[in-house]
Amino acid sequence: MSTTFRRRVLAGAGALSLVLAGGVVGTAGTAQAATKTTPVFENCDAPAPQPDGSGNQNYTITLPDTAKAGDVVPITIDPGASPLIPGFSVTTVNTTKITLKVGSTTQVVTSPPETVSVVAGTPLDPKAFSGTIKIPDGTEGTTVEVRLDQAVTDADLSGSVFTTTCIPAPRPSAPIGSVAVEALPKDPVTTKLTPNSGKAGTAVTVSGANFPAGAVTCSALLAGAATGDTGTGTADASGAATCNLTVTKKADAIKIDGSVTPYKSFVYLEDQTGVKNPVDIEVLPGPLALGPKDGQPAVAFPSVTINGKAQSVVGVFNAATVQDFRGGTLGWDVTATRTPFLNQTTGHAMAKAQLGIQPSCTVTNPDSPSTCTAGAPGAITDTPMKVASQAAGGDELTGGEFAVGGAGMIQLPPFMFADTYQTVVTFSIA
């Protein structure tokens, strides 16, 4: 699918553009953990005509002292005073996305919307906010360092969104926090039953992960209580466990002993007296589709009057629908590319204009077995940029219905031909 953008640039007297200085806002969080304050030098790109700025911002990070690989742990971020100085007083609703390098992974912590009173000449000193990060797999026995990669603040003023982006120098920053990862393996889990249903006498192979190498046992449960059916097996050096059990009585779950919940469900089939009528149904996979089929209407951006300064205008991408009806465990990625800003009739072009997106992805069907993740904000170019994704499910079902879109911003150069320009943004799924 594709989305068309048109920009009208007018020659003449300068027009006043409303601009907001960047900052980070949220609600304070609590954590029983270590707190560290680190000054981070940042270069901040503010919407014109607010000048860009650079300087130190003192990030105070609260993280647990220790965690296991694979754990999702709380983090509290207090960004300190912004290096940007607002040029006017106004009240806005701010939302910030802090992009962090957590070990070798990139993760985003988003603040809740917060009403902010901006005072001209006074740097924003936002409140702390809380979220979570995931300790990467495979980091057992190491210290995972957390670094700042980017801070993006969206200031909403009566429905118009003004974005400020701050990039640390160097990027990513020096460590602003760390977590010591336990040398112990991740929590053992039961991953699969083969088969996952049957009547009395059914032999079941139970699979698991993250177990200490050696002998394991497994057991059947009914309403959380052991039924008495047990089995034995082994775990190899990688932690992969296999256990064999025969179901002799009614059960609704089976686990490898020592694993954490949730256990794997088992459907017990009881013999019924009378005449049996087998019923078979074939469930066929549906499509992975990105719509609408014939593209989206053009996204409207306000006109801009040339005033000799770089300017920015904001708009909203029309949400594209994603339908994953494949009935499997696969994931998907939605990427965006665009053509240059051109007027094909006059031959004029805006080679220096930039188009950015603050991606969003929401679940539109509450029965969807999967969630989706929005990509990091950034510029759309001729190189595919990930704007949303659904992770593969391993042994679990994936799929559902989603809406992918986001806020858009066009950054214009100080001088260009007065004309109407167009770019075509194409969303693709794979």
Side-chain angles (χ1 to χ4, degrees), residues 190-214:
T190 303
T191 59
K192 189 176 183 180
L193 306 180
T194 308
N196 62 357
S197 64
K199 58 185 180 179
T202 299
V204 179
T205 299
V206 190
S207 302
N210 309 323
F211 287 85

Side-chain angles (χ1 to χ4, degrees), residues 28-299:
T30 59
Q32 302 297 318
T35 299
K36 177 183 178 182
T37 299
T38 307
V40 177
F41 184 85
E42 295 175 313
N43 296 310
C44 295
D45 180 16
Q50 165 77 38
D52 298 338
S54 299
N56 284 331
Q57 191 161 347
N58 292 327
Y59 282 83
T60 300
I61 305 297
T62 302
L63 282 166
D65 288 318
T66 61
K68 291 182 178 181
D71 280 355
V72 175
V73 301
I75 183 173
T76 298
I77 302 173
D78 186 348
S82 169
L84 292 178
I85 308 298
F88 54 89
S89 300
V90 69
T91 298
T92 63
V93 178
N94 286 11
T95 304
T96 292
K97 291 184 177 180
I98 299 292
T99 303
L100 301 171
K101 286 289 188 180
V102 183
S104 61
T105 66
T106 300
Q107 303 182 35
V108 179
V109 181
T110 303
S111 75
E114 181 79 11
T115 300
V116 178
S117 294
V118 180
V119 178
T122 303
L124 290 179
D125 191 2
K127 298 178 183 177
F129 63 94
S130 298
T132 59
I133 59 173
K134 182 179 179 181
I135 305 301
D137 292 333
T139 57
E140 293 88 346
T142 68
T143 295
V144 170
E145 294 180 333
V146 177
R147 303 169 186 265
L148 177 67
D149 185 63
Q150 177 176 264
V152 176
T153 300
D154 285 336
D156 189 318
L157 180 62
S158 302
S160 295
V161 179
F162 301 86
T163 299
T164 298
T165 302
C166 294
I167 304 295
R171 182 182 187 183
S173 70
I176 58 176
S178 62
V179 179
V181 185
E182 297 179 13
L184 300 175
K186 294 179 294 183
D187 289 332
V189 292
T190 303
T191 59
K192 189 176 183 180
L193 306 180
T194 308
N196 62 357
S197 64
K199 58 185 180 179
T202 299
V204 179
T205 299
V206 190
S207 302
N210 309 323
F211 287 85
V216 296
T217 59
C218 49
S219 55
L221 308 171
L222 180 62
T227 66
D229 290 336
T230 62
T232 59
T234 58
D236 63 20
S238 71
T242 302
C243 189
N244 297 303
L245 176 148
T246 298
V247 175
T248 65
K249 53 184 71 70
K250 187 174 183 179
D252 58 17
I254 298 176
K255 67 172 182 176
I256 297 181
D257 297 331
S259 61
V260 299
T261 56
Y263 307 130
K264 304 306 291 185
S265 296
F266 182 82
V267 178
Y268 184 79
L269 305 176
E270 298 187 76
D271 278 331
Q272 304 290 326
T273 59
V275 178
K276 292 177 172 57
N277 289 268
V279 177
D280 292 340
I281 180 171
E282 183 180 13
V283 179
L284 301 176
L288 172 65
L290 179 67
K293 179 180 178 182
D294 298 322
Q296 301 276 34
V299 177

